[in-house]
Amino acid sequence: MTERKPRADATRNREAVLAAADTLFAQCESPESVTMADIAAAAGVGKATLFRGFGDRTGLIQALYETRLAPIRLAAEEGGPPLGPTTPPLQRVPALLDAVLCFKLDNRHLALALEGTGGDSPYAAEHYALWHGTLRTALEQIPGFTDSDFTAHALLAATRADLVEHLVGQQRTTREQLRADLAAFTARVLRSRATDG
């Protein structure tokens, strides 16, 4: 039995909703200020359409986040250097963290909205599990490296959306400085953990 394709109008509505939500989150002062009613109005659909398609506000935010993240996920899972699995781990780990950081910088309000949805632990989210598992696997490939599980968590903590927002939004750290700081921090961690082992 073949899987039924979504109707053309349902696909159009989904794309319109995601585009409207993307714009609203990018332009908002605070992610909490964006409501389902705002998104429905901007997309030109009824609120019932939103709830049918995404379940609730958290489901919509997760769908938009995953849509935006998909190209990076694909590069990390199947691509070549610097993100792909064939990249030597000492180059791959900093590249993966830089990709996560740049994604958070480019999608600050969306990432904050997702981290602020409450509910389940952020560490149980699919995207977090993906990055943690990918980093842990790369760290395990470094000779003499110890504590890859904890280290992957600790490195990812440096890319949390609330920290990125604090550094960029309140302390006025530039994108280039933040990327350089993360690269230097990652290099220190990799050196120290490999030496300890």
Side-chain angles (χ1 to χ4, degrees), residues 96-97 100 122-140 147-157:
L96 287 166
L97 288 163
V100 173
Y123 306 106
E126 184 186 345
H127 62 88
Y128 186 88
L130 163 76
W131 293 121
H132 179 265
T134 303
L135 280 171
R136 186 186 63 231
T137 299
L139 291 167
E140 287 168 351
D147 297 330
S148 60
D149 188 72
F150 174 79
T151 303
H153 283 300
L155 289 170
L156 282 171

Side-chain angles (χ1 to χ4, degrees), residues 1-5:
M1 188 169 146
T2 58
E3 191 176 317
R4 211 170 70 178
K5 282 186 166 181

Side-chain angles (χ1 to χ4, degrees), residues 22-43:
D22 199 13
T23 300
L24 288 171
F25 280 116
Q27 295 173 349
C28 71
E29 286 294 319
S30 165
E32 294 80 24
S33 67
V34 179
T35 67
M36 291 291 266
D38 295 334
I39 295 167

Side-chain angles (χ1 to χ4, degrees), residues 25-126:
F25 280 116
Q27 295 173 349
C28 71
E29 286 294 319
S30 165
E32 294 80 24
S33 67
V34 179
T35 67
M36 291 291 266
D38 295 334
I39 295 167
V45 301
K47 274 175 62 175
T49 299
L50 257 63
F51 288 103
R52 241 189 340 269
F54 301 96
D56 58 15
R57 184 175 181 273
T58 298
L60 192 155
I61 292 169
Q62 287 171 338
L64 179 55
Y65 193 90
E66 291 301 327
T67 298
R68 298 295 293 272
L69 190 61
I72 303 170
R73 177 194 292 261
L74 186 64
E77 291 175 345
E78 302 174 17
L83 299 180
T86 61
T87 309
L90 287 174
Q91 285 81 52
R92 189 178 188 209
V93 169
L96 287 166
L97 288 163
D98 185 62
V100 173
L101 176 62
C102 288
F103 179 82
K104 298 278 181 83
L105 286 165
D106 293 338
N107 299 278
R108 276 167 52 203
H109 292 301
L110 180 59
L112 280 170
L114 182 62
E115 287 183 7
T117 54
D120 294 336
S121 163
Y123 306 106
E126 184 186 345

